[in-house]
Amino acid sequence: MTNIISSLLLLISFNMMSVQTAAQTPRNLLSRFSRQEIADALLPKALWHPFPVSIAEWQKVLPDSVRQSIMRQAEVYQKIPFVAIPATMMMEYQQSGDRSHYEEVSFRKRDQLFTMAVAESIEQKGRFMNAIINGIWSLCEESYWGTPGHLYLQKAGINLADVEDPSVDLFVSETATVLALTDYLLGKQLDAYSILLRKRIYYEVNRRMLAPLEKDSDRYFYLKKGTKEYPINNWNPWVISNWMTSLLLLEKDPERRISELEHALHLLDHYVNFIGDDGAIDEGPVYWSGATGRLFDGLTILESATGGKLTIYNAPIIANMAAYIYKMYIAGSYYINVADASPVISTDGLLLYRMGRALRDTTLTSFGAWAFHQYPVRTPISGDFAKPRMLFNMQAWTDCSNSKGQAPAIPDVWLESIQLMAARTDKGLFVASHAGHNGESHNHNDVGDFIVFASGQPVIIDAGLGTYTAKTFSKERYQLWYNSSAYHNLPTINGVQQSAGRKFGAREVQYVKDGNNVTLHMDIAGAYGPGAGVNQWKRDVTMDRQQNRVRVTDDFVLNAAATLTQTFMTVCPVDIQRGTIRFNIPGERPVILEYDADIWNVKKEQIDCSAPDEKRLADNWSHRQITRLLLQRKEGVSSGRHEFIIQQL
């Protein structure tokens, strides 16, 4: 599996705190569907055909070249045996904190089975059937379908899996769906081999997911109502969308299909109710696919299984959740990255295209078509999760490939629920900044941070996330430099950095548009612990469109005279002169940062990113040199005001 997938999995399971609060009035968009409405709309299992199953149907939705690419991928997987996962591999996480070996084997097995099932459905020559049957049996024989790091969900805690206490995590739901889709795609072929294969699939999916969620959904944090103290995150739509798919594909009892779909929709409402009205997620755009994308997966299943009778696509919150992805877009492959997020995302253009079409959002549809061509997809089976999404994506392949589209360039963004602003000029200057607090999901201590891009290229950056290790999830998390405020574009006051926790946050936050100026006002003093001795640190981040420049102003009051250091992070080669720092952008006009040389000394540190936990950082920035600039106040002061001007020459 790719490093991206492994990192994503760890991201999902860490730090469930959220900056968002539940909506004041629950929307209950899905709970409004009564059991009778669901019963009247839900298609019988025998009449629901969401995906192609015949050669002719596959030929209709996918070009020959794409079908052949799936065949080639399946042929590679056919040569890899389905191996058992030993107990010692499961115990590696408990013993050393390493779950990568387990996940590599586990995730590959699911990709193998799904890819070969799709290939066999397309071709129907029987050449993949023996491997598929072995894959089904191998998955059914596993003691646990999830990942070892999530065994805290079982009563025995993180240990070997307790088969008498099946618990449902993200990847239990993924595995159930892979088996349900295999049953759907190849049911007749499986029955021809043995009438016990599909019986076994249902038994295991029911035992490990359907029954546990039916009988004891209150057991799971991600299915409870979200509050400020007990937030809800993307586990909710991730698991529920898989639950809905597996239930509706496998369950033969009509009454159970109705009652458990109703149950799932009520729980999915907890997530929709929790998201702020602007549709933002504090986990950043790298999580949008696993959060809003998963919600859309569930809504797509609902629409399909009810013949289009039950939908909520016209609700403003759904439109706003979808639009978040293009509001966070900068240029090229760059997105605003906060907390544990990568600055570069290869966006799923087919997903964006389908979502834009369903929501009648032409910006999103156009963005999806652009992304589809920007990040060429040779095969719709990408080795990632969300298998039902892949099958729905396939059905949009031709339409999307025939559309050109364009990347969005939203001039102003204000997401109040996460206190994030962004602004750009028509000359290519871009700034983003956020207030918030230091108890956000996958938090970095970064209240008041900002980033600047010019001509679509990074100038002043948030370094992003490192490669995950056991330290990432320990009390030593903020000893990792890239998680600390001293390595964000923030002040260090009296040698003290920002502190972690929800109580350490911004105050008096205001977003103001005034003519050509767009400004985020915030007092970030509250993000620092008592040792900093800071009473007030009012920071204004302004985009001045008339002057085509960014202005950062700090107005501060301290308890006593203290040392001050201001950090700027960059991947640009820099030249330091008195009063100016020149950021050189290959092939583009340079950017300069003006500072008051009478009060600041400047020094430069280069970060080599050679440590094991720094590999992801190097990958984030295409192995460009990460440089830390330190502006150090020449004299200790107890109050004052200073300004930094950033503009492209």
Side-chain angles (χ1 to χ4, degrees), residues 78-387:
Q78 188 181 25
K79 298 174 183 177
I80 301 174
F82 284 93
V83 298
I85 302 178
T88 52
M89 188 177 288
M90 180 175 285
M91 287 294 281
E92 285 182 0
Y93 181 78
Q94 180 176 337
Q95 294 168 347
S96 67
D98 187 349
R99 65 189 195 183
S100 62
H101 298 133
Y102 182 100
E103 290 176 353
E104 181 180 359
V105 175
S106 175
F107 300 158
R108 185 186 65 231
K109 288 173 68 175
R110 284 132 182 88
D111 282 338
Q112 282 180 262
L113 178 58
F114 178 70
T115 301
M116 289 189 292
V118 173
E120 183 60 44
S121 179
I122 290 172
E123 187 183 66
Q124 298 194 14
K125 292 182 179 179
R127 63 183 176 127
F128 298 109
M129 284 306 300
N130 282 347
I132 290 168
I133 290 162
N134 287 336
I136 293 169
W137 206 250
S138 180
L139 264 59
C140 289
E141 290 287 296
E142 289 180 356
S143 294
Y144 180 53
W145 285 349
T147 187
H150 298 160
L151 280 168
Y152 62 83
L153 292 169
Q154 68 179 9
K155 296 180 179 68
I158 294 178
N159 205 303
L160 289 174
D162 183 354
V163 296
E164 295 182 359
D165 178 31
S167 57
V168 183
D169 81 333
L170 302 174
F171 306 110
V172 169
S173 75
E174 288 291 323
T175 308
T177 301
V178 167
L179 287 168
L181 291 170
T182 303
D183 179 283
Y184 170 85
L185 293 169
L186 301 173
K188 292 180 180 179
Q189 294 94 318
L190 297 178
D191 282 341
Y193 185 87
S194 171
I195 60 171
L196 296 179
L197 277 172
R198 299 177 78 188
K199 182 178 179 181
R200 180 71 186 279
I201 287 174
Y202 177 81
Y203 172 80
E204 296 294 349
V205 172
N206 185 60
R207 179 177 72 86
R208 299 170 190 251
M209 186 176 73
L210 301 185
L213 293 179
E214 177 181 30
K215 297 175 182 177
D216 194 14
S217 60
D218 286 344
R219 170 180 179 175
Y220 299 102
F221 69 88
Y222 57 85
L223 296 179
K224 297 179 184 294
K225 292 182 179 180
T227 66
K228 183 186 296 186
E229 292 75 22
Y230 301 100
I232 192 171
N233 74 343
N234 65 341
W235 279 50
N236 175 288
W238 185 311
V239 171
I240 291 176
S241 61
N242 280 321
W243 176 18
M244 291 167 61
T245 305
S246 300
L247 169 76
L248 296 177
L249 286 176
L250 291 178
E251 182 56 57
K252 295 179 180 178
D253 181 350
E255 290 303 316
R256 193 184 189 203
R257 291 177 87 236
I258 294 166
S259 64
E260 283 308 287
L261 178 58
E262 181 188 30
H263 184 191
L265 294 179
H266 276 260
L267 296 177
L268 189 55
D269 249 346
H270 293 340
Y271 184 73
V272 180
N273 287 341
F274 183 71
I275 298 297
D277 287 339
D278 55 24
I281 55 173
D282 70 338
E283 295 167 295
V286 75
Y287 262 98
W288 180 86
S289 175
T292 298
R294 290 289 183 162
L295 173 64
F296 183 68
D297 292 343
L299 299 182
T300 304
I301 290 293
L302 179 65
E303 176 192 28
S304 175
T306 62
K309 293 179 181 177
L310 301 185
T311 67
I312 58 169
Y313 295 144
N314 62 348
I317 181 60
I318 305 302
N320 288 340
M321 292 175 72
Y324 167 83
I325 190 63
Y326 59 72
K327 291 177 180 178
M328 297 291 280
Y329 177 73
I330 302 174
S333 297
Y334 291 112
Y335 289 77
I336 300 169
N337 65 308
V338 294
D340 272 351
S342 168
V344 175
I345 305 173
S346 297
T347 311
D348 183 346
L350 288 167
L351 172 64
L352 269 60
Y353 183 84
R354 289 176 43 236
M355 191 180 294
R357 203 165 53 176
L359 302 179
R360 299 181 180 180
D361 183 335
T362 56
T363 301
L364 190 57
T365 304
S366 180
F367 188 22
W370 175 86
F372 177 83
H373 295 288
Q374 178 74 11
Y375 315 112
V377 182
R378 291 177 300 172
T379 172
I381 301 178
S382 64
D384 206 342
F385 304 110
K387 308 301 189 190

Side-chain angles (χ1 to χ4, degrees), residues 299-577:
L299 299 182
T300 304
I301 290 293
L302 179 65
E303 176 192 28
S304 175
T306 62
K309 293 179 181 177
L310 301 185
T311 67
I312 58 169
Y313 295 144
N314 62 348
I317 181 60
I318 305 302
N320 288 340
M321 292 175 72
Y324 167 83
I325 190 63
Y326 59 72
K327 291 177 180 178
M328 297 291 280
Y329 177 73
I330 302 174
S333 297
Y334 291 112
Y335 289 77
I336 300 169
N337 65 308
V338 294
D340 272 351
S342 168
V344 175
I345 305 173
S346 297
T347 311
D348 183 346
L350 288 167
L351 172 64
L352 269 60
Y353 183 84
R354 289 176 43 236
M355 191 180 294
R357 203 165 53 176
L359 302 179
R360 299 181 180 180
D361 183 335
T362 56
T363 301
L364 190 57
T365 304
S366 180
F367 188 22
W370 175 86
F372 177 83
H373 295 288
Q374 178 74 11
Y375 315 112
V377 182
R378 291 177 300 172
T379 172
I381 301 178
S382 64
D384 206 342
F385 304 110
K387 308 301 189 190
R389 179 189 301 173
M390 295 179 191
L391 294 174
F392 282 119
N393 280 353
M394 292 178 192
Q395 298 172 67
W397 187 283
T398 300
D399 287 348
C400 187
S401 64
N402 290 333
S403 303
K404 290 185 178 180
Q406 63 181 13
I410 309 302
D412 299 305
V413 173
W414 171 238
L415 299 172
E416 185 175 5
S417 69
I418 58 173
Q419 297 180 345
L420 182 144
M421 66 84 77
R424 69 177 78 227
T425 70
D426 56 11
K427 296 180 180 180
L429 192 64
F430 178 93
V431 66
S433 183
H434 62 93
H437 59 76
N438 283 330
E440 297 170 349
S441 188
H442 318 302
N443 181 67
H444 289 195
N445 289 337
D446 60 357
V447 172
D449 192 25
F450 68 95
I451 60 173
V452 175
F453 279 61
S455 301
Q457 297 300 313
V459 179
I460 296 174
I461 67 166
D462 181 327
L465 77 162
T467 303
Y468 284 160
T469 67
K471 190 173 183 179
T472 311
F473 310 103
S474 72
K475 62 183 179 181
E476 299 175 322
R477 174 175 175 80
Y478 296 101
Q479 293 178 21
L480 297 167
W481 62 265
Y482 41 83
N483 292 344
S484 70
S485 66
Y487 287 82
H488 286 77
N489 306 301
L490 291 164
T492 299
I493 305 167
N494 204 28
V496 176
Q497 302 182 42
Q498 291 187 6
S499 296
R502 188 181 181 91
K503 68 179 181 179
F504 297 101
R507 305 179 295 226
E508 301 176 23
V509 179
Q510 288 184 302
Y511 171 72
V512 177
K513 290 182 66 175
D514 180 14
N516 289 315
N517 292 343
V518 180
T519 302
L520 179 61
H521 303 279
M522 52 194 156
D523 184 349
I524 64 173
Y528 294 81
V534 55
N535 295 324
Q536 170 189 295
W537 195 287
K538 291 188 175 180
R539 166 163 282 193
D540 290 353
V541 178
T542 299
M543 171 63 83
D544 182 340
R545 287 199 173 92
Q546 185 172 0
Q547 299 294 325
N548 192 42
R549 66 184 187 179
V550 174
R551 184 172 66 250
V552 179
T553 305
D554 291 331
D555 191 341
F556 60 92
V557 177
L558 310 177
N559 290 338
T563 59
L564 298 179
T565 302
Q566 169 65 45
T567 297
F568 295 104
M569 303 293 294
T570 187
V571 287
C572 294
V574 294
D575 296 323
I576 300 172
Q577 301 175 359

